[in-house]
Amino acid sequence: FFVNLFNSCMDKSAKSEDLEERVGIMIKVITEDVYTNVCRGLFEKDKKMFSFMITAQVMRLEEGTISDDEWGFFLTKGGFIDDDKLPPNPAEEWIKRDMLAGLVNLEKIGGLQGLFESLDMETAAWKTWFDSLTPQDEPLPGKWEALLSQFQKLLLMRVLRDEKVVDGVTKFILMRLGKHFVDVPAFDLASSFQDSSPLVPIIFVLSTGADPTMYLYNLAKDVGVLERLKMISLGQGQGPIAESLITSARESGDWVCLQNCHLASSWMPELEKLLETHQTMKLNDDFRLWLSSMPSKVFPASVLQAGIKLTNEPPKGLRANIKRTYEDMTEAEFMYFDAKQESGEDPEAHKKVRPWQKLLFGLCFFHAAVQERRKYGPIGWNIRYEWNQSDILTAQANLRMYLEEQSEVPFETLRYVVGDVNYGGRVTDYMDQRCVAAILSKYFSHEAVYDDDYTFTEDGKYYPPAPGDLASVRAYVDELPMIDSPEVFGLHRNAAIAFENSETKYLMDTIISVQPRAGGATGGKSSDQVVADMALELSERMPSNLSGEHAAPATFAKDAEGTLNSLGTFLSIEMGKFNKMLSKIRSTLAELQRAIKGLVVMSSELDSMYQALLFQKVPTLWSNVGYLSLKPLGSWFKDLVARVDFMEKWIVQGPPESFWMSAFFFPQGYMTAALQTYARENRIAIDTLDFRTEVMRLGQEDVDSGPSQGVYIYGLYVEGGRWDSKKECLAESTFGETHVYMPVLWLDPVVKEGTEVPVPPSTYNTPFYKVSSRAGTLSTTGHSTNFVRILHLPGGDMPPEHWIRRSVALLSQLDD
């Protein structure tokens, strides 16, 4: 593929007698053509990363304007620094601890000395830059704008405004290589066909919601081979039929399109052999092979490498999504009840025109909203669901049927059928199911149909248009904003920050995944030196295994019957898990140091650990025996030390007055043990009890004694909202503050009423997760590996549905 690409670039680049000029032209044409040809086979999310990799490699290897230290810092932020080695913070109100550590590492790079002094002297100017919505477009304070290179400015953004790195990367590409490398090549099947040959298959890499078949039909029509286009969808038993089609077509010059190759995994080796035989055969010049497949490991690598790859993704954005739905809709579908009214077929039809058109628009809006929420990651949906056109078509048919059969609009039935059955049928997470229902309730309501002033959003830009013809609705959709704010989907505008953070994380993870072994080395050291030093430092800081030898009497106290107290039982189980983890870390660090010295063989597991340490990630060897965490290596290790310290104090000093929920492997077990303690003391069946939640006016440091019954817990963060200490209820987030630390919570055991804890109607049942990814899998105990339990928080003036749409949740730890 690349040899053919290179040869075609040589042929089409402008000729020149001047060697230097000819080489310059060839480099320019080859760089642009490689970008264009590779980009057309990449998904949207990877195109910018590819442009950036080209730009960075040109600057690193050809120009030498990006040093290894700078590149290593960009990937890892320079590594972890102990708190006691950090200098005084020049602006504690906005420079966080991890930013401070990043600045310390950044100052070690040539040309960046004096940053701390500048931050101290020009704090106001730096704060203005820090608060900017577009820091990549703002000049840096003082001398730094002129002093730093474009890439060094990216390093500064990586430390202080990490969520804006992707925007900074776009500007960096634009300024270094030009607009061609920022503009995404349009889907152009005709030009790809021109580049193909009988030996070069064209491969459509499919994505959900996109179907390139129509483009292929149109191209075949334009080229005049529509009658000779043979199509077959692969699946069980279709392989031999496809083979005979290819065999006859390579002689007759027909086009063959094999759809859904990922469904014929067993036949893929046969396809590979078939295409290998073509290399030694005389093929008809008109013969073309078209293949379509979802991304799949079963697709033959040799075919993929030889072929021209194309991606075609569905339109992004709320407006584009709604527009597509209405463009696919016929006039007869839209005017269904108008036609019934005119024909006199249904005497009640005139009453149904308004509900049909209003609810139809609400359905289209809902369909777009649930899909677009996916880009916000876990705060959008815990699990990414693949809704498509079949869902909205089914829901449309149900909507029309229920309106036709009922004299009044059955709102509750429609909400159930569309929300719980049509769309909810794909949803496997309970929190996502209730979110689907809460979102739909905004569009399928009495007000949405009969109140002309009703709007879907507070700014009034989105509303169900007045009944009319199809053209008027299409015109209204065309006027909708091109860029969607998170509020349109029921989220707080802080969700945009979460989205930007996830984009940056994806960019960095992808770049790191394609780095050679030396890619993360910094400070003039080799990779081996960097990893060996880190392994030695971590070994020296490793806490000891937990032991009950010096336990306080209350820690493992037994009752009158000789039964160990429930919290003591839980603690002993946790100690076993921690000790297994600590022993594994200790032994693998020692083994890795020996492997680097060449004393033992570097196994694949140790090599994976080596790569992880090099790029400041937690090795899989450790996470497999550890607790759930998304932190980078430095923060993760610091957190580990703090957890072990908490457990050690519990053992030696007895049960604490309040418990740090973030410290446990299995917080669900702690909850059960605390409930069991109360049940045993009061001789009440544990299955009749549950916890009532009360947020205290206390910080962890203010707790002098435990509650009269139940337990105090701390260490929780609220995401998607904040806790208003004055009103003692949930409140909207402050802009820029994505996570807020919660006060101490009192878990008070109460007897359930039926299956529920008695709570006021405005109470929001808040899901409590271990980490921000929210989704988890069911473990062998039957518990989720991430979801802990529901905690009850007062919702204030807002109904629970508002906080459900906001995806408000409690987390036991953050990602940094």
Side-chain angles (χ1 to χ4, degrees):
F1 173 78
F2 283 104
V3 171
N4 294 337
L5 184 57
F6 180 80
N7 290 336
S8 72
C9 290
M10 292 277 284
D11 294 338
K12 75 179 186 184
S13 58
K15 309 293 185 283
S16 173
E17 296 297 322
D18 186 322
L19 180 63
E20 200 171 312
E21 186 183 347
R22 169 72 172 149
V23 170
I25 292 168
M26 280 168 53
I27 288 172
K28 184 176 184 294
V29 170
I30 290 168
T31 309
E32 289 182 355
D33 268 36
V34 165
Y35 168 72
T36 304
N37 279 273
V38 173
C39 247
R40 65 189 178 188
L42 294 176
F43 288 122
E44 213 62 43
K45 60 187 174 65
D46 295 316
K47 290 176 181 176
K48 193 172 291 180
M49 186 274 294
F50 181 62
S51 298
F52 176 66
M53 289 296 288
I54 291 176
T55 314
Q57 291 301 91
V58 167
M59 293 177 70
R60 288 181 70 202
L61 304 179
E62 191 180 321
E63 301 173 5
T65 48
I66 296 178
S67 69
D68 286 345
D69 282 357
E70 289 172 341
W71 184 246
F73 182 89
F74 181 73
L75 298 180
T76 66
K77 295 192 191 177
F80 180 71
I81 297 178
D82 267 337
D83 286 1
D84 54 4
K85 293 180 183 175
L86 292 176
N89 193 330
E92 287 187 354
E93 68 276 8
W94 58 274
I95 296 181
K96 297 176 186 173
R97 198 216 70 86
D98 60 314
M99 292 179 186
L100 193 64
L103 289 168
V104 171
N105 287 325
L106 194 56
E107 272 214 325
K108 296 174 186 174
I109 296 174
L112 286 149
Q113 290 78 16
L115 262 177
F116 268 103
E117 188 183 344
S118 174
L119 278 160
D120 206 16
M121 303 290 289
E122 302 169 290
T123 308
W126 278 106
K127 180 72 165 73
T128 303
W129 178 83
F130 178 82
D131 288 339
S132 169
L133 292 174
T134 54
Q136 72 277 5
D137 298 326
E138 300 296 327
L140 293 172
K143 64 179 182 179
W144 298 99
E145 178 63 26
L147 190 65
L148 299 188
S149 69
Q150 200 64 36
F151 189 74
Q152 286 173 328
K153 290 175 185 174
L154 261 186
L155 301 186
L156 200 54
M157 285 184 66
R158 185 91 169 89
V159 175
L160 295 176
R161 292 295 302 274
D162 202 23
E163 80 280 4
K164 290 292 181 183
V165 164
V166 173
D167 291 338
V169 159
T170 306
K171 186 175 183 184
F172 171 72
I173 298 165
L174 189 64
M175 296 191 72
R176 292 301 310 176
L177 287 190
K179 197 168 184 291
H180 179 84
F181 292 86
V182 175
D183 291 339
V184 175
F187 181 76
D188 186 357
L189 198 54
S191 70
S192 302
F193 170 67
Q194 296 299 327
D195 294 340
S196 70
S197 73
L199 288 172
V200 179
I202 298 177
I203 304 158
F204 294 113
V205 186
L206 302 175
S207 60
T208 306
D211 184 6
T213 311
M214 192 53 66
Y215 294 99
L216 182 56
Y217 272 125
N218 292 337
L219 177 67
K221 194 175 178 182
D222 294 342
V223 179
V225 295
L226 186 58
E227 295 77 23
R228 292 191 288 143
L229 172 62
K230 315 292 183 193
M231 302 187 79
I232 182 171
S233 182
L234 293 182
Q236 192 171 10
Q238 298 299 302
I241 302 170
E243 190 171 343
S244 65
L245 277 178
I246 293 171
T247 306
S248 60
R250 65 192 180 195
E251 294 174 7
S252 62
D254 292 345
W255 286 10
V256 176
C257 177
L258 307 182
Q259 296 175 300
N260 301 321
C261 291
H262 58 285
L263 299 179
S265 54
S266 60
W267 188 70
M268 285 297 101
E270 297 300 320
L271 174 66
E272 190 173 16
K273 287 177 193 169
L274 193 63
L275 296 189
E276 278 175 12
T277 63
H278 286 185
Q279 302 298 324
T280 55
M281 294 175 68
K282 177 95 174 87
L283 304 176
N284 190 307
D285 289 341
D286 292 337
F287 169 67
R288 289 295 184 277
L289 179 62
W290 306 80
L291 306 170
S292 77
S293 174
M294 295 291 278
S296 170
K297 290 180 181 178
V298 301
F299 196 89
S302 62
V303 179
L304 197 62
Q305 288 164 357
I308 292 170
K309 279 76 68 181
L310 296 174
T311 57
N312 175 36
E313 294 178 83
K316 295 283 194 301
L318 189 85
R319 176 180 171 272
N321 203 309
I322 298 173
K323 187 175 180 181
R324 177 177 151 193
T325 305
Y326 272 99
E327 281 174 352
D328 291 347
M329 199 181 294
T330 63
E331 191 79 33
E333 282 178 293
F334 183 77
M335 305 296 284
Y336 182 79
F337 286 102
D338 296 80
K340 285 207 158 203
Q341 183 183 345
E342 287 172 18
S343 66
E345 189 181 334
D346 182 356
E348 298 280 305
H350 65 284
K351 293 181 184 176
K352 298 173 182 177
V353 172
R354 183 185 183 94
W356 165 246
Q357 293 193 12
K358 290 269 190 176
L359 291 172
L360 182 61
F361 185 82
L363 177 63
C364 297
F365 201 97
F366 166 75
H367 177 72
V370 295
Q371 288 185 301
E372 291 303 313
R373 271 180 76 108
R374 293 183 302 197
K375 73 180 182 183
Y376 295 102
I379 206 165
W381 300 109
N382 289 2
I383 297 168
R384 186 183 171 88
Y385 304 101
E386 298 297 342
W387 289 290
N388 54 38
Q389 285 303 102
S390 65
D391 294 299
I392 192 169
L393 293 175
T394 306
Q396 272 181 34
N398 279 321
L399 174 61
R400 185 171 59 237
M401 179 185 75
Y402 279 106
L403 288 179
E404 206 165 8
E405 291 178 355
Q406 308 281 332
S407 56
E408 297 294 323
V409 182
F411 288 107
E412 195 171 329
T413 304
L414 287 170
R415 283 194 290 265
Y416 175 75
V417 170
V418 175
D420 292 7
V421 180
N422 289 160
Y423 284 83
R426 290 187 186 272
V427 178
T428 54
D429 187 289
Y430 170 69
M431 297 305 155
D432 288 339
Q433 286 173 342
R434 70 175 192 168
C435 191
V436 167
I439 294 169
L440 185 63
S441 67
K442 200 157 190 167
Y443 312 124
F444 275 29
S445 66
H446 189 275
E447 295 80 12
V449 173
Y450 297 108
D451 183 355
D452 287 332
D453 296 326
Y454 184 81
T455 60
F456 293 152
T457 54
E458 287 181 13
D459 59 16
K461 291 179 183 175
Y462 300 88
Y463 54 87
D469 58 8
L470 184 56
S472 66
V473 179
R474 285 175 177 167
Y476 165 69
V477 173
D478 278 336
E479 297 300 315
L480 291 175
M482 296 286 287
I483 297 171
D484 313 317
S485 69
E487 288 98 328
V488 178
F489 313 114
L491 297 164
H492 189 270
R493 59 180 177 153
N494 277 349
I497 299 173
F499 170 57
E500 289 167 341
N501 275 322
S502 67
E503 276 200 313
T504 299
K505 186 178 185 302
Y506 179 79
L507 176 77
M508 303 315 302
D509 287 348
T510 312
I511 293 172
I512 286 172
S513 71
V514 298
Q515 289 304 296
R517 174 172 279 202
T522 58
K525 294 180 179 180
S526 69
S527 298
D528 282 0
Q529 284 176 299
V530 170
V531 176
D533 289 351
M534 194 181 300
L536 180 62
E537 185 187 351
L538 292 175
S539 298
E540 290 171 349
R541 290 169 53 199
M542 275 295 295
S544 303
N545 280 19
L546 296 168
S547 166
E549 193 177 340
H550 302 291
T555 305
F556 298 111
K558 295 181 179 180
D559 61 19
E561 297 170 4
T563 308
L564 182 63
N565 74 82
S566 301
L567 288 175
T569 304
F570 166 76
L571 177 59
S572 60
I573 295 169
E574 289 283 310
M575 284 169 64
K577 291 179 179 178
F578 271 105
N579 287 343
K580 181 181 176 184
M581 180 186 183
L582 293 170
S583 299
K584 186 71 172 179
I585 295 171
R586 211 174 282 112
S587 64
T588 50
L589 282 172
E591 199 72 5
L592 181 63
Q593 290 177 75
R594 294 177 68 208
I596 291 170
K597 291 173 184 173
L599 300 175
V600 295
V601 175
M602 179 75 80
S603 66
S604 60
E605 285 185 329
L606 288 176
D607 186 62
S608 170
M609 180 178 168
Y610 180 105
Q611 289 287 86
L613 294 183
L614 188 61
F615 292 109
Q616 297 292 317
K617 292 190 172 294
V618 180
T620 309
L621 275 171
W622 300 355
S623 56
N624 283 346
V625 293
Y627 41 77
L628 196 60
S629 178
L630 301 176
K631 292 177 180 287
L633 181 61
S635 305
W636 181 89
F637 194 84
K638 183 186 172 189
D639 178 59
L640 169 66
V641 173
R643 288 181 188 231
V644 174
D645 183 55
F646 173 82
M647 303 302 279
E648 182 69 35
K649 284 180 179 172
W650 181 356
I651 296 166
V652 175
Q653 299 174 10
E657 307 299 348
S658 58
F659 292 83
W660 183 32
M661 289 304 293
S662 316
F664 306 135
F665 268 78
F666 191 53
Q668 296 99 315
Y670 167 77
M671 300 277 194
T672 304
L675 206 59
Q676 195 171 41
T677 301
Y678 177 83
R680 283 182 179 177
E681 286 172 358
N682 295 275
R683 299 197 174 276
I684 301 172
I686 190 170
D687 56 0
T688 65
L689 296 172
D690 204 348
F691 284 122
R692 179 185 70 86
T693 313
E694 185 175 327
V695 183
M696 309 301 290
R697 289 177 172 269
L698 298 169
Q700 182 265 328
E701 63 284 349
D702 302 323
V703 178
D704 298 323
S705 60
S708 56
Q709 62 180 41
V711 288
Y712 286 151
I713 62 169
Y714 68 95
L716 279 62
Y717 298 84
V718 63
E719 180 181 50
R722 66 182 174 87
W723 179 255
D724 188 327
S725 297
K726 291 179 181 175
K727 294 183 179 177
E728 297 192 318
C729 64
L730 285 170
E732 295 289 6
S733 301
T734 307
F735 180 62
E737 198 173 30
T738 53
H739 299 91
V740 180
Y741 194 66
M742 286 289 288
V744 168
L745 272 72
W746 174 24
L747 300 184
D748 178 23
V750 293
V751 176
K752 291 186 284 190
E753 292 181 1
T755 59
E756 301 292 329
V757 174
V759 292
S762 63
T763 301
Y764 171 54
N765 291 341
T766 317
F768 172 31
Y769 299 99
K770 295 179 189 176
V771 294
S772 66
S773 56
R774 300 196 181 195
T777 55
L778 281 182
S779 60
T780 51
T781 60
H783 291 82
S784 166
T785 50
N786 199 347
F787 175 72
V788 180
R789 66 169 290 125
I790 292 288
L791 295 175
H792 311 289
L793 298 181
D797 299 332
M798 293 293 184
E801 288 75 19
H802 174 78
W803 302 117
I804 291 171
R805 287 190 287 267
R806 284 281 194 261
S807 281
V808 173
L810 292 166
L811 308 176
S812 75
Q813 57 176 297
L814 303 183
D815 299 352
D816 51 18

